[in-house]
Amino acid sequence: MTNELKGVIRKYYEIERAWTGSDKNSNEYLAAVCLFEYPSYRLLDSDKRDRLIGFRLLVRTLRRMLSSGNGKTEINPEAKALVIGSSKNTNDIIQYISRSGKTTLHTYFDRDHMSLGDFGKWLPTLAWLPYALRQSFRCIFSQYRSAIALTIAEIPEIAFTLEFAKRNSISMLYDFLPYEVDSNFMYLVFRANNIGVFKIPSSGPLATHHKILLSDFIAVSTPYHLEEIRKFSSTMRIGDHALWPPEKAHMYFHRYKNNRDWEENNTIGFYSHGEWIRKAEKQSDYGGRIGDAEEAILRMLGNLVRKNPTLKLRIFPHPRELKPDKRDEMYAHYAKCIGHEAFEVFTQPGGTSQHFAKAEIAIAAFSTILYERLYSGYKTLIGNMFIFEFPMNQSSLNSICFKTEVELEEMLNRFGNIDADSFFALTGLVDYRMDSYPEP
């Protein structure tokens, strides 16, 4: 691993030089913008102010470099594809990539917990330590300290993954974490070693995290992704794309394939992204003023329910909000935003995607569940106030977006009590339904 580690460090310095250089069109410059200027969700927002964050990352990473054997799931030793992802839903991700990509996988790496000592401990550590110490001292004074600190862990992670890929003759890396700030940096390292990279973003708009995206292949899971790839072609540099169903489609495909009816007319569902609790827990800001948009939508819905008591408002919380110690705080938050208590919070188990029939029309500001619901054939609206770049001009998604209470009321009157086929025909969103996708 020592040689790979030295090579990745050299590539890092090349990217850092490109960041301050005159050529603003190179792949290295674009990767540097992501690495140094984009927010990461691997650190807390408070870490940006911690002058010792570099030394903390050094210690954590050192422990990982002196350990072996953890953080990977072995699948098929004869396969030639590798996955890098998180610890959440490992088996579901493996099945998703295997089915949608029609491939067999060698190993799954849980990036945050992968040990880094399988291919030697002391020599790689000695090669890495001068770099890590340099970066740690830079963090004391730099305004980019959180980005610089993260490279202390990112570089050995990339080097370890590369060494593993070379040892096992891997020809393709499936990147399930393309929103990470070093994803494009990692792509350049693997491309230089003749290993392909296939990125798998979520169903939400690419521009949220991927306005810069370098990859050999990408999975697109909504027609809107294709619109974005065309618009941002100068910075989304992709070899080819493949249409995949949403990530969890296999869990509800058969439930909705032949039955897309809802249980009650006049039921309005609100899908929460949980921004208020992310802020309370000091998580990194998701961007786009999503929290403000959610509160605005809830106020509108509160006014419309007060005006029209035949409407039933049903809140579908984010899993973060359903923690037992957050229940009272959650109800208080919604009562404050809505302005009264004429609503219910849906808490049945199984996940929101298993309960699309519980709302005739569902509304959200930002959530991948919106696209899963459209995929499943249910009426859906998007509140895009404060999110000025979404959707793009001429996109069919504009037909279900609103910014004001008047627009929301008009849409509820227009689309309420009509069948789903009519809704998709009127909005021009027929291609968003599962009928237009390969089976998961």
Side-chain angles (χ1 to χ4, degrees):
M1 177 176 161
T2 305
N3 290 334
E4 284 72 25
L5 190 58
K6 291 178 178 179
V8 176
I9 291 173
R10 285 195 297 271
K11 190 65 179 179
Y12 165 79
Y13 285 128
E14 180 185 348
I15 286 175
E16 191 176 71
R17 288 193 297 271
W19 186 40
T20 56
S22 59
D23 183 359
K24 306 302 183 185
N25 192 48
S26 69
N27 287 339
E28 285 72 20
Y29 172 76
L30 294 177
V33 169
C34 295
L35 195 65
F36 295 111
E37 300 178 20
Y38 280 23
S40 172
Y41 303 102
R42 301 184 76 182
L43 294 176
L44 297 174
D45 189 61
S46 58
D47 290 328
K48 298 174 184 177
R49 299 178 292 278
D50 182 0
R51 294 181 181 272
L52 299 179
I53 187 60
F55 292 99
R56 299 187 203 284
L57 263 294
L58 186 154
V59 172
R60 293 176 207 167
T61 307
L62 180 61
R63 292 189 184 123
R64 295 171 66 190
M65 293 186 71
L66 298 179
S67 64
S68 302
N70 295 323
K72 62 178 181 287
T73 302
E74 298 176 356
I75 305 167
N76 183 345
E78 303 301 320
K80 302 301 179 186
L82 179 68
V83 182
I84 189 162
S86 68
S87 58
K88 297 180 180 179
N89 307 315
T90 297
N91 290 330
D92 288 338
I93 293 170
I94 291 170
Q95 293 300 317
Y96 178 53
I97 295 173
S98 298
R99 283 193 302 265
S100 300
K102 296 179 173 56
T103 188
T104 55
L105 303 173
H106 186 288
T107 299
Y108 179 99
F109 278 122
D110 169 5
R111 181 165 186 181
D112 285 328
H113 300 98
M114 58 196 267
S115 300
L116 302 173
D118 283 358
F119 307 121
K121 295 180 173 64
W122 296 109
L123 285 178
T125 299
L126 291 173
W128 162 82
L129 197 55
Y131 166 83
L133 285 169
R134 178 180 182 273
Q135 295 294 81
S136 297
F137 280 108
R138 291 178 70 191
C139 291
I140 296 174
F141 304 105
S142 177
Q143 63 177 314
Y144 300 101
R145 64 174 55 91
S146 58
I148 292 171
L150 271 177
T151 67
I152 295 170
E154 291 164 344
I155 280 177
E157 289 170 352
I158 294 171
F160 177 87
T161 308
L162 177 61
E163 166 71 3
F164 185 93
K166 290 164 71 173
R167 279 179 182 260
N168 293 279
S169 301
I170 298 298
S171 59
M172 184 66 69
L173 173 71
Y174 285 91
D175 183 359
F176 207 77
L177 304 172
Y179 54 84
E180 292 292 358
V181 295
D182 65 326
S183 177
N184 292 317
F185 171 28
M186 183 167 65
Y187 163 71
L188 293 179
V189 170
F190 274 74
R191 188 184 70 169
N193 285 273
N194 299 312
I195 299 171
V197 175
F198 195 125
K199 295 190 178 184
I200 309 167
S202 73
S203 297
L206 293 176
T208 306
H209 300 294
H210 309 295
K211 197 172 289 184
I212 296 175
L213 193 151
L214 312 176
S215 189
D216 299 306
F217 305 95
I218 182 178
V220 298
S221 51
T222 73
Y224 189 71
H225 286 170
L226 298 175
E227 297 177 29
E228 291 182 287
I229 289 171
R230 288 191 293 270
K231 177 177 180 178
F232 299 111
S233 59
S234 63
T235 55
M236 290 183 184
R237 300 178 180 180
I238 301 161
D240 203 356
H241 66 268
L243 179 64
W244 286 15
E247 175 189 342
K248 298 178 181 178
H250 67 282
M251 299 173 65
Y252 51 81
F253 174 79
H254 293 289
R255 186 182 189 93
Y256 303 120
K257 181 178 181 181
N258 298 312
N259 182 11
R260 301 167 185 174
D261 296 329
W262 51 89
E263 296 179 4
E264 300 175 79
N265 287 337
N266 299 317
T267 48
I268 309 301
F270 174 79
Y271 293 157
S272 172
H273 196 254
E275 283 304 295
W276 69 272
I277 201 166
R278 294 172 193 267
K279 183 177 181 181
E281 294 178 349
K282 301 187 185 304
Q283 298 294 319
S284 293
D285 182 18
Y286 203 84
R289 295 184 63 185
I290 295 167
D292 293 338
E294 289 195 320
E295 291 184 11
I297 293 169
L298 289 168
R299 285 194 297 271
M300 295 177 193
L301 290 172
N303 292 337
L304 294 176
V305 168
R306 186 184 289 112
K307 184 191 303 186
N308 185 357
T310 62
L311 295 176
K312 179 183 290 187
L313 177 57
R314 185 169 287 151
I315 307 296
F316 293 83
H318 189 276
R320 287 174 181 262
E321 300 172 80
L322 291 174
K323 297 176 182 177
D325 61 333
K326 298 293 183 181
R327 293 291 181 95
D328 291 344
E329 192 176 350
M330 173 183 66
Y331 278 97
H333 167 76
Y334 284 116
K336 178 181 178 181
C337 292
I338 293 169
H340 53 74
E341 297 184 358
F343 65 91
E344 64 177 75
V345 177
F346 188 83
T347 59
Q348 290 184 25
T352 302
S353 61
Q354 299 296 319
H355 300 288
F356 288 146
K358 294 295 183 181
E360 178 189 354
I361 299 177
I363 299 169
F366 188 94
S367 176
T368 56
I369 200 71
L370 290 166
Y371 307 97
E372 294 179 19
R373 184 176 166 94
L374 290 170
Y375 171 85
S376 299
Y378 283 86
K379 297 187 285 186
T380 307
L381 302 178
I382 302 173
N384 67 331
M385 60 287 294
F386 311 123
I387 308 174
F388 301 109
E389 294 184 352
F390 171 80
M392 294 180 288
N393 291 336
Q394 308 304 314
S395 172
S396 55
L397 285 179
N398 282 289
S399 64
I400 59 169
C401 289
F402 64 90
K403 293 184 182 296
T404 68
E405 186 175 321
V406 171
E407 291 173 341
L408 172 58
E409 186 173 19
E410 289 175 350
M411 287 187 174
L412 291 177
N413 290 333
R414 183 185 184 196
F415 300 131
N417 296 315
I418 65 170
D419 62 83
D421 286 342
S422 298
F423 169 83
F424 280 89
L426 286 169
T427 56
L429 297 174
V430 172
D431 288 346
Y432 280 76
R433 294 190 298 186
M434 63 173 65
D435 307 28
S436 300
Y437 288 74
E439 286 199 13

